[in-house]
Amino acid sequence: LPNGRASSSFDSQDLEKLPPALQLWFASLTVPDVLLSAYGATGREQYFTAAQAFLAGWDHIERESWPRYGLLWNDHATAARVRVLAEFWRIYRTRPDYDPEVGRRVLEQADRYGYFLSDPGHFTFSTNHGVMQNLGLLQLALAFPELPRSAEYHRVALERLDRQMRFFIDGRG
């Protein structure tokens, strides 16, 4: 990959100034993913706080740019974001400093991902992107069962994956 610099605190300028090969990486929430991993490995609050601030900034730009802004709403990147948001939620929802307003925003963000990933107009059936969309939906349904459409996301993912596997895998395997 080419070299590029991104801030550890969210900066929407990074969406455009990174080389194209790194924009998907950035749009997949790799920065807060690394910060959450550092928090898990060290327990140092500064990493969790930085990840939380990054995700809040990301949420803000998503709300402002819905539904399109470069790779911000790339199907593969959106599916990858589900895993990072789920990891944040796993940690955050039981913390003593839990704020219901932050929790509400995380759940809204998760539901936004589910809406996008389950939308037939965005589904790419015969590619790895479609598989990623469905895996993202499955993970979303498992990590966020409190979402009103969680069961629907689960059902859509399984139905589409069933059709995809019959397309990708012939009688000889």
Side-chain angles (χ1 to χ4, degrees):
L1 292 174
N3 289 329
R5 295 182 70 87
S7 174
S8 62
S9 58
F10 180 74
D11 182 353
S12 63
Q13 300 285 323
D14 289 337
L15 286 168
E16 295 177 349
K17 71 180 181 182
L18 284 170
L22 294 178
Q23 289 177 6
L24 182 62
W25 171 86
F26 187 78
S28 298
L29 293 181
T30 301
V31 173
D33 188 25
V34 168
L35 292 167
L36 289 170
S37 293
Y39 173 72
T42 67
R44 293 173 63 187
E45 282 296 312
Q46 69 192 55
Y47 295 125
F48 184 82
T49 302
Q52 183 176 4
F54 191 103
L55 289 169
W58 188 271
D59 178 56
H60 177 75
I61 196 72
E62 275 183 355
R63 289 171 187 273
E64 296 293 316
S65 65
W66 178 259
R68 289 280 186 208
Y69 181 72
L71 287 176
L72 180 67
W73 287 106
N74 173 278
D75 53 5
H76 204 284
T78 303
R81 286 199 294 270
V82 168
R83 187 188 58 75
V84 179
L85 192 64
E87 177 61 8
F88 175 79
W89 184 239
R90 182 188 69 78
I91 297 167
Y92 184 68
R93 67 182 179 211
T94 60
R95 287 174 56 94
D97 60 347
Y98 175 84
D99 178 347
E101 177 59 23
V102 172
R104 182 183 63 77
R105 287 190 171 261
V106 169
L107 294 175
E108 287 175 356
Q109 192 172 7
D111 197 49
R112 198 166 48 242
Y113 296 160
Y115 176 82
F116 180 81
L117 293 170
S118 65
D119 182 351
H122 297 291
F123 182 52
T124 52
F125 175 79
S126 61
T127 71
N128 67 326
H129 285 248
V131 174
M132 286 297 295
Q133 287 171 288
N134 292 325
L135 293 176
L137 282 172
L138 286 174
Q139 190 166 35
L140 191 74
L142 290 170
F144 299 96
E146 58 276 311
L147 294 177
R149 298 183 341 164
S150 179
E152 177 187 344
Y153 298 149
H154 185 258
R155 180 191 56 76
V156 166
L158 289 179
E159 286 174 3
R160 293 190 319 194
L161 275 171
D162 181 59
R163 290 192 326 266
Q164 284 179 303
M165 290 306 105
R166 285 187 271 135
F167 171 79
F168 287 126
I169 302 171
D170 66 11
R172 298 175 302 197

